[in-house]
Amino acid sequence: MAGLYIHVPFCSGKCGYCAFYSVVGCENRIDMFLDALAKEAVVRTHELFSPLSTIYIGGGTPSLLSPTQFEQLDRIIKQNFKISPDKIVEYTIEVNPDNVDIPRIQAWRNAGVTRISMGVQSMIPQELQTIGRRHTALEASKAYQMLRASFSNISLDIIFGLPGQTMESWKETVHQIIDMYPEHISAYSLTFEERTRFSKMLKKGEITEVEESLSLDMFRWVCHRLAEAGYEHYEISNFARSGKRTLHNSSYWNGSEYLGLGPGASSYDGYRTRKSNPPSLKEYIFFYTDGGENSDYVESEYLSRKELTEEYILTRLRTSEGIDLEQYGDLFGKEEAARITKVCRRIGDKWINCRDGVLRLTEDGFFISDEIIVSLLPD
Ligand code: SF4
């Protein structure tokens, strides 16, 4: 199973917390981006060994593309990539509530999009303003209703730990999201990434972080509430109704091959090679418009055995599947499997448990997954 990711690096404004690569106020360059993308697809199609099963159009804000521009993007995919005989099992586009309208919905449907991932982030007006979203809670609800009439698989993103957020306001957001009854919910913990507006504001003392204990309570509460509402917690930040786990992202977590096109996108060959496109729209357009070869442009990294082990631990422990110790031993040796088991015992059952030969983070362990994963990595 192979996946295709396309990074559409345009946004109408920059949200305070966001570290994804995107450019603001450059919509007049979308057509140039699409021309460069068409060239990149031709040059790199051979890098995928298997036919496509999943497509993910992310960003940035792909819903900024007009219906005609989206049709062009879809044509680029279909003209350059072999589709799996079982057809595309999942075709996702990320959207923002402020660009959802009937002509776009029609274009997405006509192209065969099966899944919508919409960034809502909060249903509290003050919080939406603080984080710099360009839509209201009401617009998010209206966009959802419009999408619901055409799509049976919708995912909504929300964030906890926002500056000024309280337990009550978080509960209000979660309740309103559950009432919409999407198939999938991603609940992210706010992190202050370097070079974001929030990290600068934090340094200047213009905003404050919520207490870690409050953030943990918010996480525990959302896990509990979503379980009650019938959502399975299958990855640190992801919850799905039965049969609605995201297939595309699951391929990142289980080490399958995927190809990423567009500035800032990364790829993995499912074996040992990682590639990434530099995060610069200007360079991207310049390079592909000049008809260059991708070998000079894409950064490529061959993973060492140690890096492969790290990658395995990092990705598998994110999910509720965890690490199967027998499989781990077959891949990296029995001694390594014994080492990791010993470290887990030392960390303790409150954070990570070993049942039936599988290591899994607990709910509290998910909350501090970065720290636990670091302590498990080989020296
Ligand atoms: S969160 Fe989404 S809309 Fe906001 S800046 Fe990042 S990519 Fe753009």
Side-chain angles (χ1 to χ4, degrees):
M1 170 157 152
L4 177 69
Y5 173 79
I6 297 186
H7 192 78
V8 180
F10 301 93
C11 288
S12 55
K14 197 74 190 169
C15 306
Y17 54 84
C18 180
F20 291 120
Y21 172 65
S22 67
V23 291
V24 172
C26 298
E27 282 87 327
N28 58 349
R29 289 158 78 190
I30 293 179
D31 289 331
M32 283 189 264
F33 160 73
L34 288 171
D35 288 344
L37 182 72
K39 289 185 181 138
E40 187 187 16
V42 171
V43 172
R44 299 191 64 195
T45 181
H46 71 277
E47 290 181 35
L48 270 188
F49 298 115
S50 320
L52 282 188
S53 295
T54 62
I55 300 171
Y56 194 103
I57 315 296
T61 311
S63 54
L64 270 181
L65 267 54
S66 69
T68 315
Q69 288 166 333
F70 182 77
E71 282 156 16
Q72 190 184 340
L73 180 145
D74 181 64
R75 260 198 312 277
I76 293 171
I77 299 171
K78 308 235 168 103
Q79 284 171 356
N80 289 289
F81 292 94
K82 275 200 223 97
I83 306 289
S84 155
D86 303 329
K87 301 212 184 78
I88 296 296
V89 285
E90 188 179 274
Y91 186 168
T92 303
I93 179 168
E94 285 180 355
V95 311
N96 269 355
D98 34 334
N99 334 104
V100 172
D101 58 24
I102 299 296
R104 283 183 168 91
I105 289 177
Q106 215 111 52
W108 302 333
R109 270 197 64 101
N110 291 345
V113 168
T114 60
R115 184 171 180 273
I116 300 288
S117 173
M118 182 160 78
V120 174
Q121 318 314 0
S122 167
M123 292 299 277
I124 308 298
Q126 182 55 51
E127 290 172 8
L128 286 170
Q129 227 172 42
T130 307
I131 61 183
R133 299 292 290 178
R134 279 100 31 220
H135 59 84
T136 62
L138 186 65
E139 280 163 349
S141 302
K142 282 189 179 157
Y144 181 83
Q145 296 314 329
M146 256 198 269
L147 290 164
R148 183 42 98 205
S150 295
F151 293 96
S152 58
N153 195 356
I154 302 179
S155 176
L156 300 179
D157 288 0
I158 46 178
I159 305 180
F160 63 95
L162 294 172
Q165 194 175 40
T166 62
M167 193 63 177
E168 285 62 43
S169 70
W170 172 234
K171 285 184 178 178
E172 182 56 34
T173 289
V174 174
H175 282 142
Q176 289 196 38
I177 293 293
I178 291 174
D179 285 348
M180 295 187 205
Y181 206 42
E183 282 66 31
H184 188 279
I185 296 173
S186 299
Y188 296 106
S189 166
L190 178 75
T191 50
F192 289 85
E193 306 273 350
E194 279 300 309
R195 293 191 303 276
T196 60
R197 183 158 51 81
F198 270 10
S199 77
K200 289 177 195 140
M201 289 169 79
L202 187 68
K203 275 182 203 141
K204 288 191 207 154
E206 292 168 1
I207 49 171
T208 47
E209 276 186 81
V210 305
E211 292 285 326
E212 191 171 319
S213 59
L214 174 58
S215 202
L216 176 59
D217 285 347
M218 287 175 169
F219 182 65
R220 283 183 177 144
W221 183 82
V222 75
C223 295
H224 169 75
R225 185 66 196 89
L226 290 180
E228 254 180 11
Y231 291 87
E232 178 201 9
H233 190 184
Y234 72 99
E235 195 266 351
I236 296 176
S237 311
N238 288 296
F239 304 80
R241 276 159 54 187
S242 177
K244 298 295 182 185
R245 292 180 181 200
T246 153
L247 298 171
H248 184 85
N249 291 3
S250 299
S251 65
Y252 298 154
W253 304 320
N254 64 30
S256 307
E257 67 164 326
Y258 58 88
L259 181 68
L261 305 182
S266 55
S267 312
Y268 182 58
D269 68 353
Y271 176 59
R272 283 185 102 140
T273 307
R274 229 174 235 312
K275 291 183 180 174
S276 47
N277 286 351
S280 162
L281 177 65
K282 204 170 151 193
E283 268 181 53
Y284 181 75
I285 291 175
F286 178 75
F287 183 81
Y288 282 108
T289 307
D290 270 9
E293 289 299 319
N294 72 321
S295 52
D296 296 327
Y297 175 72
V298 179
E299 289 159 12
S300 185
E301 180 193 5
Y302 187 73
L303 300 180
S304 67
R305 191 171 165 76
K306 181 166 175 271
E307 286 165 331
L308 270 183
T309 316
E310 290 178 359
E311 192 73 15
Y312 193 93
I313 295 173
L314 211 94
T315 46
R316 305 295 160 122
L317 274 188
R318 295 187 65 89
T319 71
S320 56
E321 308 304 320
I323 294 178
D324 180 318
L325 284 168
E326 199 179 317
Q327 202 178 58
Y328 187 79
D330 289 345
L331 287 168
F332 304 110
K334 303 275 178 260
E335 265 179 36
E336 171 57 21
R339 182 197 67 82
I340 200 177
T341 311
K342 209 163 129 196
V343 182
C344 285
R345 294 226 172 86
R346 227 174 35 230
I347 294 170
D349 251 16
K350 179 172 161 40
W351 312 105
I352 187 163
N353 62 46
C354 181
R355 287 201 193 113
D356 305 324
V358 180
L359 299 175
R360 287 189 187 88
L361 291 177
T362 62
E363 211 102 274
D364 280 1
F366 272 148
F367 186 74
I368 53 157
S369 58
D370 288 351
E371 287 165 53
I372 297 177
I373 287 169
V374 166
S375 61
L376 284 173
L377 300 181
D379 291 333

